Every structure is written in C-alpha cells, then in structure tokens.
Amino acid sequence: MPALRVWLLLLLLSPALAAAEALRLVADPWPPFNDQTLPGKGLASDLVEQALKRAGYTTSYAEVPWERAVRGLKRGDYDVLINAWYSLERTEYGYYSQPYLVNRIRFLQRKGSRIRFETLADLYPYTIAVIRGYAYSKEFDSDPYLLKVGVGSFEIAARMLHAGRVQLTLEDELVARHILAGTLSPLRDELEFLPQPLSENGLHILVRRSHPRYREIARRFDAAIQAMSDDGSYAATLQRHTP
C-alpha cells in the first residue's frame, strides 16, 4: 500500500512536475523581426517562440524600446532578450545562444546606376543617406571620407534615393524588403540592392545570467532551432515572413 500511495501521489503531481517553465521574452519594435502588429509578432519573435516551445518552455512577450529592454534584462524583469547582436559588453549580464538569423546590411541604388562596391573606397564619390544614430559597421561609421547625409528613417532615405538627391542608402535587407513591399511599394521596382553586403551580423537570444538555468535555456534553444532546420519548419517560417 505505501508503494501504491507513492505511485498515485507521483501520478497526481506529474502534470505539475512536467509543467513547462515560463520565460518572459522582450524585444524592441523592429519590423519585420519584432512587431506585435505582424503575424507571429514578426519573424524573430515567431522563430524564438516556436523554438522555446519545442524546448519545453512557455513564454510571455513584451515589446518595449531597446534601452528599456536591456535595462529590464539586467534587473531581472525579463528572462530573454529576443533580438541581440553580439557584443562583449553584454556578456557581463547576458548569455548568448548561437545565432538563429543573420542580419545583412546592404546598399541600395537606383536601378541601373551601376555602382560597384568591393571596398569602402569605391563609395567615396557618392552621397549616402544614413539613419542618424544607427550603427552600420565600425569601419563604415568611422570612415571620414564617406559622404553621408543623415536622415530620420529608411523611408526618407529611399525617397531621397529615388529622387536622385543621394546615390546610395543602406539598411538590413529584410527590413528594406518589408518597407518596400509596404509603405514604399511604388518605389519597389525603381531601387535595387548592390550584390555585396556591407556587413553580416548574427542575431541571437540573450538570456539573463542571473537566471539559475541560463546555460540550459540557451542550449535547449539552440537544439530546437537545429530541429526546426532539419524538419523544414524553420524554412517555412522564414518564407511566411519574407515578402
């Protein structure tokens, strides 16, 4: 009887024991990667939530400005920052997963302009619309010979490019495609990407180091992303979110 009672008790407790741990996710608005108004809350949010569900976690999601998201991760208000590029500074308070997406920063020109880009020196003759406060790459940002025109948004930069007021602009490829498929659809066929990207940055989740199982969360996430790649669900998710 005692053994039977123990077995029954374990049976009753098993749902609680098996209940998925809840993780509080946070991201800053960055369409098409993170945006509560988009299907699946955007490509990055969709991939991360799918992977963490496969890894055995339940999730809640908050979308706040970047500085608030980082501050909240440090304080323990959130467990996982969804959309982080690698920086050494962030490893002091966060633990990185393997990259699950790649952000490619690419130049755009007016179609048929025939601008060649292999090194930054190739771009010295041209004016380039850049978003104020945006970090593109260390080399690009610090090059004193590039003729940069600061603007408030990619939409403004693309319109200036189309009007011939600048010869180039640049943006993350998926962000640019998203905007050109939406608010700037009349310009979509008038602009084109240069073949070579300026930079490529892996996109990671960043798990707060103050979480008692931060390494395990990242490890299980990485394994789930690999499983999604193997069974085709990763590619299907990417296709759903790509114009």
Side-chain angles (χ1 to χ4, degrees):
M1 285 298 293
L4 179 60
R5 285 175 183 169
V6 171
W7 181 84
L8 288 172
L9 181 61
L10 289 174
L11 184 64
L12 290 170
L13 290 175
S14 60
L17 292 173
E21 180 180 352
L23 295 176
R24 298 162 298 173
L25 312 183
V26 66
D28 66 316
W30 186 27
F33 296 101
N34 310 103
D35 191 321
Q36 290 178 319
T37 68
L38 294 176
K41 299 187 283 289
L43 170 59
S45 302
D46 199 354
L47 285 171
V48 169
E49 290 191 324
Q50 285 187 61
L52 289 174
K53 183 178 180 180
R54 283 193 180 213
Y57 301 100
T58 62
T59 58
S60 59
Y61 177 85
E63 201 168 272
V64 300
W66 175 258
E67 293 81 4
R68 184 176 163 191
V70 172
R71 187 166 60 249
L73 193 77
K74 290 179 178 179
R75 288 192 313 216
D77 298 337
Y78 309 112
D79 302 308
V80 177
L81 179 60
I82 285 178
N83 52 346
W85 289 352
Y86 180 83
S87 79
L88 185 60
E89 176 189 357
R90 294 178 195 146
T91 61
E92 296 178 4
Y93 57 86
Y95 186 79
Y96 282 96
S97 70
Q98 294 297 311
Y100 66 92
L101 277 171
V102 175
N103 295 121
R104 292 182 177 88
I105 306 297
R106 296 184 65 184
F107 290 100
L108 292 97
Q109 64 179 353
R110 290 190 303 279
K111 187 166 286 186
S113 293
R114 298 184 180 180
I115 295 174
R116 182 177 64 89
F117 165 56
E118 293 181 0
T119 69
L120 290 177
D122 296 329
L123 307 181
Y124 290 168
Y126 309 107
T127 53
I128 308 168
V130 298
I131 301 173
R132 298 185 191 95
Y134 197 112
Y136 294 98
S137 78
K138 182 178 180 181
E139 294 74 20
F140 178 86
D141 296 341
S142 62
D143 193 317
Y145 299 106
L146 292 169
L147 304 175
K148 304 170 191 172
V149 178
V151 299
S153 69
F154 173 72
E155 289 90 338
I156 295 172
R159 293 186 189 280
M160 289 176 64
L161 178 61
H162 181 255
R165 295 171 58 193
V166 295
Q167 286 79 55
L168 290 167
T169 189
L170 68 167
E171 181 55 275
D172 174 88
E173 180 178 355
L174 291 184
V175 172
R177 290 188 185 279
H178 174 75
I179 295 172
L180 289 171
T183 56
L184 293 184
S185 57
L187 309 187
R188 186 175 186 175
D189 296 329
E190 305 296 324
L191 307 179
E192 62 183 1
F193 290 100
L194 271 62
Q196 179 173 307
L198 170 67
S199 64
E200 295 186 346
N201 296 294
L203 193 65
H204 312 249
I205 66 168
L206 186 65
V207 186
R208 64 178 175 93
R209 284 186 177 269
S210 57
H211 193 289
R213 288 174 292 281
Y214 66 90
R215 292 180 186 271
E216 180 184 349
I217 293 168
R219 177 182 57 78
R220 289 166 67 176
F221 173 81
D222 291 339
I225 287 290
Q226 183 60 57
M228 290 172 64
S229 297
D230 293 341
D231 68 15
S233 57
Y234 181 99
T237 302
L238 187 64
Q239 186 174 14
R240 283 199 307 272
H241 291 274
T242 304

